[in-house]
Amino acid sequence: MKMLHFDKSNQCVFYLIMTLQEIKDYLYNVVQPIELVGNPQTAIQGISEIETAQQGELAFVANSKYERFLESTNASAVIVSNKIDKAKLPGSKAYLLAGDPYIAFVFILEKLSPMRKFIQEGISESAFIDPTAEVDQDVSIGAGAYIGQNCQVKRGAKIGPNVSLLDGVVVGEDSMIYPNVTVYDECRIGNRVIVHAGATIGADGFGFAPQPDGSYHKIPQVGIVVLEDDVELGANLCIDRATIGETRVKRGTKIDNLVQVGHNCSIGSNTVIASQVGVSGSVTIGNQCMVGGQAGFVGHIEMADKMVIGAQAGITKSFNQEGLVIRGAPAQPIRDQMKQEVMLRKLGDMMERIKQLELQLQQMNDQKLTK
Amino acid sequence: MKMLHFDKSNQCVFYLIMTLQEIKDYLYNVVQPIELVGNPQTAIQGISEIETAQQGELAFVANSKYERFLESTNASAVIVSNKIDKAKLPGSKAYLLAGDPYIAFVFILEKLSPMRKFIQEGISESAFIDPTAEVDQDVSIGAGAYIGQNCQVKRGAKIGPNVSLLDGVVVGEDSMIYPNVTVYDECRIGNRVIVHAGATIGADGFGFAPQPDGSYHKIPQVGIVVLEDDVELGANLCIDRATIGETRVKRGTKIDNLVQVGHNCSIGSNTVIASQVGVSGSVTIGNQCMVGGQAGFVGHIEMADKMVIGAQAGITKSFNQEGLVIRGAPAQPIRDQMKQEVMLRKLGDMMERIKQLELQLQQMNDQKLTK
Amino acid sequence: MKMLHFDKSNQCVFYLIMTLQEIKDYLYNVVQPIELVGNPQTAIQGISEIETAQQGELAFVANSKYERFLESTNASAVIVSNKIDKAKLPGSKAYLLAGDPYIAFVFILEKLSPMRKFIQEGISESAFIDPTAEVDQDVSIGAGAYIGQNCQVKRGAKIGPNVSLLDGVVVGEDSMIYPNVTVYDECRIGNRVIVHAGATIGADGFGFAPQPDGSYHKIPQVGIVVLEDDVELGANLCIDRATIGETRVKRGTKIDNLVQVGHNCSIGSNTVIASQVGVSGSVTIGNQCMVGGQAGFVGHIEMADKMVIGAQAGITKSFNQEGLVIRGAPAQPIRDQMKQEVMLRKLGDMMERIKQLELQLQQMNDQKLTK
């Protein structure tokens, strides 16, 4: 009934045969409202983007700027917003009208795409598993993986090829550790956690005590990293272990590729951190925050819950107001920051007005002298 | 005739014996004009930087600020610009005068340095290759590499130690995948592509649908990454797979270390992206663009061909003018941005002039009162 | 006498039994002054953070803002500053008064925490070691590690699982290379160097010669990377090899995670570089400098010794004044940069004063007309 397939133009599509009515019935159970316009028997054998969709495929328009493709697309059916003017819909196709076309699309995509089976089932003969490690049933471990002393790998976990788990690491149930990840000793990974390839969890915090001769003395980093359930961590990111105690990422939080989280940080629950953000040591970020890409935090500060932090922001102090939106460097509440931006754009105007004032005053003075 | 050698001071140099005349003859075939001044029989046994060159070595001066070393260098010959005043050249040495000394140097370097043989030829016994994978002749695969189901590795490709290719990956002819790289399932790598160590190609795009309870629902990422021919990708960078469809890097493009390219991006042909740049999802960058280090792009925007984007720029909207130079955050055409920078430097002056104006007005008012 | 232990709340603590007097005596030998207030027989069985410390544990207060926890903490003893008002110390506990409480804490931590034994001793059977490589006694090499032709691994070095050392790499005595690190051919690592997981040392510099047809010609990168003794490098960072010659990191320098150091750079001795900094090619940074996170350097510039460079700074030119503090983008001496920041905050005020001036002039002109 369904099959992942790459066609000759390298487009990745799903081939299946479902009628639009069947798709509508499925969606009706998970997202409402949903309405079908056109032939319910339209055969759908794949999903694609509207610009590149072929006959027999279902596309979607989540953003009104893509409505211009409704006429030209080869898709046999399109998911559109139920706020669209039905009179505008080209009659040659069928439509699903949804309150949120993107969410409807996500649910179809999810129905059609099974969890990625990224490694073969079972334990590879070329994995190294220390005899003292506890590996539950239904665990998959890829070729070249290294499982150190006293590690625990729980039921359903998948450990990719060439992953290295140092001594005492715990990986919870159904978690997925992609290839070439390193987890340092004693770190704890919860259930249903996803760690993408190349990530480093639990490396030493960056702590050195300056010595009188100008050299640095390494401060032992004896804490750990704790990743709570349902966390997802991006490729090639780094989360440092605590100096003492723990660095913690709380339940449901998602962190993108190449992010740095320093020692002893606490990242709240259901927070989203975009790529290349840098979080210095001992920073606390609240729950349900959103942090834009490349933002940077100085150490030892706290962010309230539900804050929104702009891309490339430089956060230099604590903010304790829930839901506050900040941006800029140094970061400030968005209202202040936008005022400053407006002022910056008026600099030329200000200079011109100063010149005019000087000229007028000069003229007035000249007139007085003339009198 | 030539030999890679490290001398006692750890300087990496090439030892060979060629006369300057032989070198000139070689260069004459690839870069012109080229002129020899001094003894054509000068024996050259290595290449080095002008500051550290020893007797018997050939150095180069591509930038006039290094001309000050012409007197003091121990090099036996130096490649210099043909625009130099010949009267200034110290008579103790020989010279090659070239239109572009750096390009001349590059060609000599290339003639002397064979393509790096980064792994032993053949297929390591400790590599894991799934029986369903197709591996062409003349392929080298290093120890600990993992080649998943239905992968294709084409003629002449080199797969380094501890590389992980998940199921269905295609690696084109003569491509080089350095150690510890991960390529996720179904991604396609063209011919003569170089992927440096630790890179992650095809990890999931950062897509999550917010739920009413504040948690996030993972959006399946079922697209792929396509790297066209002659692409070179830096160490530890990340190129995410598309949600649906593909993330594509076009022919001849070079991307530096630690760059992030989000899901569904399209990076044009012969474009150069410097280190630590962040490209959010669904961004289109044109052909022959140059992007400076640490620049960041918000999602869903388009850049025209041949644009030049400054280091640390924050690009918040589309630009459609071919060849436009932008910089700053938010990024703007360089002329506007430079005006703003000039204004910023004049802020103190503006403030002073405002004070003067206030003072003058005060005096005028005082005079009126006095009258 | 001591034992690394995780209690039920996942707090990482050290369990040992020492009296406070014993701890004071130990500290007296390494940091002075040190004074004991309270019961010298207080039994200490662990170290913890003051907020979470339990009875029987020793905590510390290095920052006066944590003094508020002195009353509520359950710690049996606390290390505090000897500048504290002794009358304020709650009588229920014992105290160590130190000139620098944090350093005192670091020394206790260090006494209690042995060097991490991150892999089993000896050479794993599943490591690949080329027959031409020289491996000294007392070396540990983890499972899946790859040691190429003519590599040298010196006495006491530890090479983690899945590390890849390409041909000719030298690793000095007692150095630690964590898992999934790649070191390219011919690079040289000194003694007591630590390279954290996922780092890439010696990948090709980003050098391409533009061709008339818009494509790029790869410039051979035949230099190396040299890491001097006592260097520590963070996880997932990249240090590129030189085009010719070498990229060098000098003795005692510490570089944090995800930093990029380009080809032909020279990083001075005992310099500290925070996470995500980007250093373009051919940059020289002096000795004993401190570079804040996410700062970026353009190519071919030089920094003096003992400079302090702010986080997110954009350094666009050389600075030759020892000890100079710079920040901002473009970076400038901190005094100038702070002046500009003050001015930026006064923009609204300036605009208001311009409006007032215009109004006053208008009124004066109106009055003249009236007269």
Side-chain angles (χ1 to χ4, degrees):
Chain A
M1 181 158 168
K2 65 182 189 250
M3 177 173 52
L4 181 57
H5 181 97
F6 289 84
D7 66 15
K8 284 175 188 160
S9 68
N10 276 348
Q11 281 296 117
C12 169
V13 291
F14 281 98
Y15 279 83
L16 72 158
I17 307 289
M18 278 178 99
T19 65
L20 201 56
Q21 181 66 46
E22 286 174 318
I23 291 174
K24 186 207 153 182
D25 292 346
Y26 164 67
L27 285 178
Y28 185 81
N29 293 318
V30 287
V31 286
Q32 293 196 22
I34 193 84
E35 183 186 353
L36 194 159
V37 172
N39 181 2
Q41 295 311 312
T42 305
I44 299 299
Q45 56 178 351
I47 299 178
S48 196
E49 294 170 299
I50 191 153
E51 304 98 308
T52 57
Q54 301 301 313
Q55 202 180 354
E57 292 180 349
L58 173 66
F60 74 101
V61 172
N63 184 322
S64 58
K65 80 174 181 179
Y66 288 96
E67 287 177 7
R68 60 191 162 102
F69 290 109
L70 281 176
E71 190 67 54
S72 61
T73 184
N74 291 321
S76 295
V78 186
I79 312 174
V80 295
S81 166
N82 60 9
K83 296 192 189 67
I84 204 167
D85 179 358
K86 288 187 199 173
K88 279 190 188 166
L89 294 174
S92 54
K93 303 174 184 77
Y95 301 90
L96 289 173
L97 279 59
D100 185 335
Y102 188 64
I103 291 293
F105 156 75
V106 166
F107 274 96
I108 298 175
L109 199 57
E110 191 166 87
K111 182 173 172 62
L112 302 182
S113 58
M115 192 71 162
R116 180 183 296 135
K117 185 185 74 61
F118 79 99
I119 50 169
Q120 275 63 267
E121 283 183 14
I123 294 174
S124 169
E125 285 182 15
S126 70
F128 173 90
I129 301 174
D130 191 275
T132 61
E134 293 175 30
V135 176
D136 282 4
Q137 287 191 313
D138 297 322
V139 162
S140 296
I141 300 182
Y146 172 90
I147 314 291
Q149 291 181 352
N150 300 310
C151 286
Q152 296 174 42
V153 184
K154 306 282 192 184
R155 185 171 50 77
K158 291 182 169 57
I159 310 292
N162 296 317
V163 165
S164 303
L165 306 183
L166 299 184
D167 295 349
V169 167
V170 178
V171 177
E173 297 181 2
D174 296 317
S175 286
M176 299 170 74
I177 313 295
Y178 278 92
N180 291 304
V181 165
T182 300
V183 186
Y184 280 53
D185 45 301
E186 307 294 342
C187 294
R188 284 139 184 263
I189 298 177
N191 301 319
R192 299 173 303 282
V193 168
I194 298 173
V195 181
H196 282 286
T200 296
I201 310 301
D204 286 350
F206 197 63
F208 302 93
Q211 301 300 297
D213 68 353
S215 70
Y216 287 91
H217 190 87
K218 182 174 175 64
I219 299 172
Q221 304 291 316
V222 304
I224 61 170
V225 172
V226 178
L227 306 177
E228 294 188 359
D229 296 345
D230 301 303
V231 162
E232 181 164 344
L233 301 182
N236 293 18
L237 63 57
C238 297
I239 301 190
D240 282 350
R241 70 196 305 110
T243 308
I244 53 169
E246 58 185 39
T247 304
R248 183 173 284 259
V249 180
K250 293 188 180 164
R251 179 186 289 259
T253 282
K254 318 295 185 186
I255 306 184
D256 201 358
N257 303 341
L258 293 166
V259 166
Q260 154 74 1
V261 176
H263 60 85
N264 294 82
C265 286
S266 169
I267 313 292
S269 181
N270 290 325
T271 275
V272 176
I273 299 181
S275 180
Q276 295 179 322
V277 164
V279 187
S280 299
S282 300
V283 168
T284 297
I285 296 180
N287 302 318
Q288 292 181 255
C289 291
M290 302 179 72
V291 184
Q294 297 184 332
F297 296 78
V298 304
H300 297 271
I301 58 175
E302 292 186 28
M303 300 294 115
D305 291 345
K306 299 188 181 176
M307 283 184 62
V308 178
I309 297 169
Q312 295 188 326
I315 304 97
T316 57
K317 61 177 185 183
S318 295
F319 289 92
N320 60 15
Q321 187 185 331
E322 186 176 313
L324 189 66
V325 180
I326 62 174
R327 65 180 201 187
Q332 45 186 332
I334 189 167
R335 208 184 42 192
D336 301 337
Q337 209 268 345
M338 288 179 76
K339 266 190 210 161
Q340 197 175 79
E341 276 194 13
V342 168
M343 283 295 171
L344 281 174
R345 283 197 291 272
K346 287 184 178 169
L347 279 179
D349 171 55
M350 283 169 73
M351 183 57 101
E352 191 51 42
R353 285 159 76 178
I354 290 171
K355 277 185 198 159
Q356 282 301 323
L357 286 163
E358 287 169 339
L359 199 64
Q360 285 183 49
L361 266 186
Q362 188 60 44
Q363 286 171 342
M364 287 168 74
N365 281 325
D366 290 351
Q367 286 170 3
K368 268 198 285 189
L369 290 175
T370 316
K371 279 184 203 171
Chain B
M1 180 157 168
K2 65 181 187 253
M3 176 173 52
L4 181 58
H5 182 97
F6 289 85
D7 66 16
K8 284 176 188 159
S9 68
N10 275 348
Q11 281 296 117
C12 169
V13 289
F14 281 97
Y15 279 82
L16 70 159
I17 308 288
M18 278 178 98
T19 64
L20 202 57
Q21 181 66 46
E22 287 174 319
I23 291 174
K24 187 206 150 184
D25 292 345
Y26 164 66
L27 284 177
Y28 185 80
N29 292 318
V30 287
V31 286
Q32 292 197 23
I34 193 83
E35 182 185 354
L36 195 159
V37 171
N39 180 3
Q41 295 311 311
T42 305
I44 299 299
Q45 57 179 350
I47 299 179
S48 196
E49 294 170 298
I50 191 154
E51 303 98 310
T52 58
Q54 301 300 313
Q55 202 178 354
E57 291 181 348
L58 173 66
F60 75 100
V61 173
N63 183 320
S64 59
K65 80 174 180 179
Y66 288 95
E67 286 176 8
R68 60 193 162 101
F69 289 108
L70 282 175
E71 190 67 52
S72 62
T73 184
N74 291 320
S76 295
V78 186
I79 312 175
V80 294
S81 167
N82 60 9
K83 295 191 188 68
I84 203 166
D85 179 359
K86 288 185 198 175
K88 280 190 187 167
L89 294 174
S92 53
K93 303 174 183 78
Y95 300 91
L96 288 173
L97 279 60
D100 185 336
Y102 189 64
I103 292 293
F105 157 75
V106 166
F107 274 96
I108 298 175
L109 199 57
E110 191 166 85
K111 181 173 173 61
L112 302 181
S113 58
M115 191 69 163
R116 180 184 296 134
K117 185 186 73 65
F118 79 100
I119 51 169
Q120 275 63 268
E121 282 184 14
I123 295 174
S124 169
E125 284 182 14
S126 70
F128 173 90
I129 301 175
D130 191 275
T132 61
E134 292 174 32
V135 176
D136 281 4
Q137 287 190 312
D138 297 324
V139 162
S140 296
I141 300 181
Y146 171 90
I147 316 290
Q149 291 181 353
N150 301 309
C151 285
Q152 296 175 43
V153 184
K154 306 282 193 185
R155 186 170 51 77
K158 291 183 168 55
I159 310 294
N162 295 316
V163 166
S164 303
L165 306 183
L166 299 184
D167 296 349
V169 167
V170 178
V171 177
E173 296 181 2
D174 297 318
S175 287
M176 298 169 75
I177 313 295
Y178 278 92
N180 291 304
V181 165
T182 300
V183 186
Y184 279 54
D185 45 301
E186 308 294 343
C187 293
R188 284 141 185 261
I189 297 177
N191 301 320
R192 297 174 305 281
V193 168
I194 298 173
V195 181
H196 282 286
T200 297
I201 311 299
D204 287 349
F206 197 63
F208 301 93
Q211 300 301 295
D213 68 353
S215 71
Y216 287 90
H217 190 87
K218 182 173 175 65
I219 299 172
Q221 303 291 315
V222 303
I224 60 169
V225 172
V226 178
L227 307 177
E228 293 188 358
D229 296 346
D230 301 303
V231 161
E232 180 163 345
L233 301 182
N236 292 19
L237 63 56
C238 298
I239 301 191
D240 282 350
R241 68 195 307 109
T243 307
I244 54 169
E246 58 184 39
T247 304
R248 183 174 284 259
V249 180
K250 293 188 180 166
R251 179 187 288 259
T253 282
K254 317 296 185 187
I255 306 183
D256 201 358
N257 302 340
L258 293 166
V259 166
Q260 154 74 2
V261 176
H263 60 86
N264 293 82
C265 285
S266 169
I267 312 292
S269 181
N270 290 326
T271 275
V272 176
I273 300 180
S275 179
Q276 295 179 322
V277 164
V279 187
S280 299
S282 299
V283 169
T284 297
I285 296 179
N287 302 319
Q288 292 180 257
C289 291
M290 302 180 73
V291 184
Q294 297 185 331
F297 295 78
V298 304
H300 297 271
I301 58 176
E302 292 186 27
M303 300 293 116
D305 291 344
K306 299 188 181 174
M307 283 185 61
V308 178
I309 296 169
Q312 295 188 326
I315 305 97
T316 57
K317 60 176 187 184
S318 295
F319 289 91
N320 60 15
Q321 186 185 330
E322 185 176 314
L324 189 67
V325 180
I326 62 175
R327 65 180 202 186
Q332 46 185 332
I334 189 166
R335 208 184 40 190
D336 301 338
Q337 209 269 344
M338 287 179 78
K339 266 190 210 162
Q340 197 175 78
E341 276 194 12
V342 168
M343 282 294 170
L344 281 174
R345 282 197 291 271
K346 286 184 177 168
L347 279 179
D349 171 56
M350 283 169 73
M351 183 56 101
E352 193 50 44
R353 285 159 76 178
I354 290 172
K355 279 183 197 159
Q356 283 301 322
L357 285 163
E358 287 170 339
L359 200 65
Q360 284 184 48
L361 266 186
Q362 188 60 44
Q363 286 170 344
M364 288 169 74
N365 281 325
D366 290 352
Q367 286 170 5
K368 269 198 284 187
L369 291 175
T370 318
K371 277 185 203 172
Chain C
M1 180 158 169
K2 65 182 187 251
M3 177 173 51
L4 181 58
H5 181 96
F6 289 84
D7 65 15
K8 284 178 188 158
S9 68
N10 276 347
Q11 279 296 116
C12 169
V13 290
F14 281 97
Y15 279 84
L16 71 160
I17 307 289
M18 278 178 100
T19 63
L20 201 58
Q21 181 67 45
E22 287 174 320
I23 291 174
K24 186 207 151 183
D25 292 346
Y26 164 66
L27 285 177
Y28 185 81
N29 293 318
V30 287
V31 286
Q32 292 195 24
I34 194 83
E35 182 185 353
L36 195 159
V37 172
N39 181 2
Q41 295 311 311
T42 306
I44 299 299
Q45 57 180 351
I47 298 178
S48 197
E49 294 170 299
I50 191 154
E51 304 98 309
T52 58
Q54 301 300 313
Q55 201 178 354
E57 291 181 349
L58 173 65
F60 73 101
V61 172
N63 184 320
S64 59
K65 81 174 178 176
Y66 288 96
E67 286 176 7
R68 60 193 162 104
F69 290 108
L70 281 176
E71 190 67 51
S72 62
T73 184
N74 291 320
S76 295
V78 187
I79 312 175
V80 295
S81 166
N82 60 9
K83 295 190 189 68
I84 206 167
D85 179 357
K86 287 186 198 175
K88 280 189 188 169
L89 293 174
S92 54
K93 302 173 184 78
Y95 301 90
L96 289 173
L97 279 60
D100 185 334
Y102 188 65
I103 291 294
F105 156 75
V106 165
F107 273 96
I108 298 175
L109 199 56
E110 190 167 87
K111 182 174 172 62
L112 303 181
S113 58
M115 191 69 162
R116 180 184 296 135
K117 184 185 74 64
F118 79 100
I119 50 169
Q120 275 63 267
E121 282 184 15
I123 294 173
S124 169
E125 284 181 16
S126 70
F128 173 90
I129 301 175
D130 192 276
T132 61
E134 292 175 30
V135 177
D136 282 3
Q137 289 191 312
D138 297 323
V139 162
S140 296
I141 299 182
Y146 171 90
I147 314 290
Q149 291 180 353
N150 301 309
C151 286
Q152 297 174 43
V153 185
K154 306 282 192 183
R155 186 171 50 77
K158 292 182 169 55
I159 311 292
N162 295 317
V163 165
S164 303
L165 306 183
L166 299 185
D167 296 349
V169 167
V170 178
V171 177
E173 296 182 2
D174 297 318
S175 287
M176 299 170 74
I177 314 294
Y178 278 92
N180 291 303
V181 165
T182 300
V183 186
Y184 279 54
D185 44 301
E186 307 295 342
C187 294
R188 283 140 185 261
I189 298 177
N191 300 319
R192 297 173 306 281
V193 168
I194 298 173
V195 181
H196 282 286
T200 297
I201 309 300
D204 286 350
F206 197 62
F208 301 94
Q211 301 300 297
D213 68 352
S215 70
Y216 287 92
H217 189 87
K218 182 174 175 66
I219 297 173
Q221 304 290 317
V222 304
I224 60 169
V225 173
V226 178
L227 307 177
E228 294 188 358
D229 296 346
D230 301 303
V231 162
E232 181 164 345
L233 301 182
N236 292 18
L237 64 55
C238 298
I239 300 189
D240 283 350
R241 70 196 305 111
T243 308
I244 54 169
E246 59 185 39
T247 305
R248 183 173 284 259
V249 180
K250 294 188 179 165
R251 178 186 288 259
T253 282
K254 317 295 184 187
I255 306 184
D256 201 358
N257 302 341
L258 293 165
V259 166
Q260 154 74 2
V261 176
H263 59 87
N264 294 82
C265 286
S266 169
I267 312 293
S269 180
N270 290 324
T271 276
V272 176
I273 300 181
S275 179
Q276 295 179 322
V277 164
V279 187
S280 299
S282 300
V283 169
T284 297
I285 296 179
N287 302 318
Q288 292 180 256
C289 291
M290 301 181 73
V291 184
Q294 298 184 331
F297 296 78
V298 303
H300 297 270
I301 59 176
E302 293 186 27
M303 300 294 116
D305 290 345
K306 298 188 181 174
M307 282 185 62
V308 178
I309 296 169
Q312 295 188 324
I315 305 96
T316 56
K317 61 177 186 182
S318 295
F319 290 91
N320 61 14
Q321 187 186 330
E322 185 176 314
L324 190 67
V325 180
I326 62 174
R327 64 180 203 187
Q332 45 186 332
I334 189 167
R335 210 184 39 192
D336 301 337
Q337 209 269 344
M338 288 179 78
K339 265 190 211 163
Q340 197 175 77
E341 277 194 13
V342 168
M343 282 294 171
L344 281 175
R345 284 198 290 272
K346 287 184 178 166
L347 279 179
D349 171 56
M350 282 169 73
M351 183 57 101
E352 191 51 43
R353 286 160 75 178
I354 290 172
K355 279 184 198 159
Q356 283 300 323
L357 285 164
E358 287 170 339
L359 201 64
Q360 285 183 48
L361 265 186
Q362 188 59 44
Q363 287 170 342
M364 288 170 73
N365 281 325
D366 290 351
Q367 286 169 5
K368 267 198 286 189
L369 290 175
T370 315
K371 279 183 203 172

